[in-house]
Amino acid sequence: ASATALQVDDARFLLNNKFNALVEQSTPSVNKDALTSIIATAGGYIQDEGKYTSETIEALKTAVSQGQSVLSNTNSTQADVDNAVSSIQNAINGLTVKAPEVNKSDLSNTIKQAEDKINSGKLTTDSQSKLKSQVDEAKMVLNNTSATQTDVDQATSKLKAAISSVVERGDVTKLQSVINTAKEAIASGKYTDESVTALASAVEKAETVVKDGNATQSVVDAAVTQLQSSIDGLVEIPAVPDVDRSELTSVIKDAED
C-alpha cells in the first residue's frame, strides 16, 4: 500500500530531527566566558594606560582587539578562543610601568650656586679644587638619563654640603697697604740697619701670605699685625748735633797767619 501524505510528512519530520541531533553532536560547543572576562580585565589596564610604557600598552590593545574579533565570530573554535585568552594574558603580564619622572631642578640650581662660588675668586685654592670636583660629580648625575630621584637627591645634598664647607681666602688689601708702607720706611734711610733688617724680614713673610692661595682671613690679619709691629719697632738713626765751629775756624786762621 502506498504511504499517505501525512505519513510522508511524519517521516520527514523524524528524519530532520535525527539529522539536527547528529549535527549538534558533531559540532562541539565553544566556551567564551574566559575570553569575555579577560577582555574586561584588560579594559581596566587600558583605562590607566598613562601608567605604562606606550609599547606595552599598545601590545595589549592589539591583543584585546584580536580577542574581540574572536569573541564576535560565530565560527571561532575553542582553540581560537583559548589562544586569544593567552595572548591577552601575556600582554597584561608584559605591561611595563613607566619610570617615575625625576626632578633635577634643585640639583641644577645647586650646581649653578657652586659654580658661582668657584668663579668668584674668593675661595682658597684647596676649597676651589674640592668644590669643582663635587660639581663634576653632580653634573654626571644631572646628565645621566638613568639616574633615579634618590640618586639626584643624594647628589644635591652632597653638593650643598660641599658649598657649606668652603673656606674663603682672606682679603689682602689692608696687608698689601701695610707692606707698601713698610717698604717706604725701609727706603727712607731714616732707621738703623738692625731695625730695617728686621722689618725687611717681616715684609718678606707678609708677601708670602699675599701670594698664598690658601691664606684665610685670620692668617692675613695675623700677618698685618706682625708687620705693623715691625714697623712700629723701627729705630731712627740718631741725629748728629750741630757744633759751633766758629772758634775752631778762628784758631785755624790764626795759625795759618
Side-chain angles (χ1 to χ4, degrees):
S2 60
T4 64
L6 180 60
Q7 289 174 326
V8 171
D9 289 340
D10 286 343
R12 181 181 294 112
F13 177 77
L14 290 173
L15 184 59
N16 284 337
N17 283 345
K18 289 182 179 180
F19 176 77
N20 289 335
L22 287 173
V23 170
E24 289 179 0
Q25 290 176 4
S26 63
T27 305
S29 61
V30 178
N31 188 337
K32 297 182 178 181
D33 292 346
L35 181 56
T36 299
S37 175
I38 201 167
I39 286 174
T41 299
Y45 289 103
I46 292 172
Q47 284 182 347
D48 290 335
E49 62 179 289
K51 293 170 55 177
Y52 306 101
T53 61
S54 58
E55 182 180 355
T56 58
I57 201 68
E58 288 303 320
L60 178 59
K61 287 180 179 180
T62 299
V64 168
S65 177
Q66 293 172 348
Q68 288 171 332
S69 296
V70 172
L71 187 65
S72 61
N73 187 354
T74 57
N75 294 320
S76 296
T77 65
Q78 190 64 52
D80 295 332
V81 173
D82 294 343
N83 288 336
V85 170
S86 294
S87 295
I88 295 173
Q89 186 62 60
N90 289 338
I92 290 174
N93 294 341
L95 286 173
T96 302
V97 177
K98 285 181 180 177
E101 287 191 18
V102 177
N103 188 341
K104 297 182 178 181
S105 58
D106 193 18
L107 177 58
S108 180
N109 291 334
T110 305
I111 289 174
K112 185 179 183 306
Q113 292 173 14
E115 289 180 330
D116 288 344
K117 284 275 189 184
I118 291 170
N119 296 328
S120 69
K122 295 181 179 180
L123 304 184
T124 63
T125 302
D126 287 349
S127 276
Q128 182 171 321
S129 177
K130 290 177 182 177
L131 185 57
K132 187 178 184 305
S133 177
Q134 291 299 323
V135 167
D136 290 342
E137 288 185 21
K139 283 184 175 180
M140 289 179 64
V141 175
L142 183 68
N143 297 326
N144 183 1
T145 56
S146 299
T148 65
Q149 191 63 55
T150 299
D151 295 332
V152 172
D153 292 344
Q154 288 178 346
T156 303
S157 297
K158 190 174 181 180
L159 184 54
K160 285 182 176 180
I163 292 173
S164 299
S165 64
V166 296
V167 178
E168 291 193 353
R169 186 168 182 261
D171 184 352
V172 297
T173 304
K174 184 176 181 181
L175 178 57
Q176 187 60 61
S177 176
V178 178
I179 288 173
N180 293 340
T181 299
K183 287 183 175 181
E184 289 174 2
I186 292 171
S188 69
K190 296 179 180 180
Y191 305 100
T192 63
D193 290 343
E194 184 179 358
S195 61
V196 165
T197 299
L199 179 57
S201 177
V203 167
E204 185 178 349
K205 292 178 181 178
E207 288 182 327
T208 299
V209 173
V210 170
K211 297 175 184 177
D212 184 1
N214 289 313
T216 62
Q217 192 60 54
S218 61
V219 172
V220 173
D221 291 344
V224 170
T225 300
Q226 292 171 1
L227 183 55
Q228 187 60 57
S229 176
S230 294
I231 293 173
D232 295 340
L234 283 171
V235 177
E236 289 189 3
I237 297 173
V240 178
D242 290 335
V243 177
D244 183 1
R245 294 182 172 83
S246 59
E247 185 176 351
L248 176 60
T249 301
S250 177
V251 171
I252 292 173
K253 185 176 183 299
D254 290 345
E256 290 175 342
D257 291 343

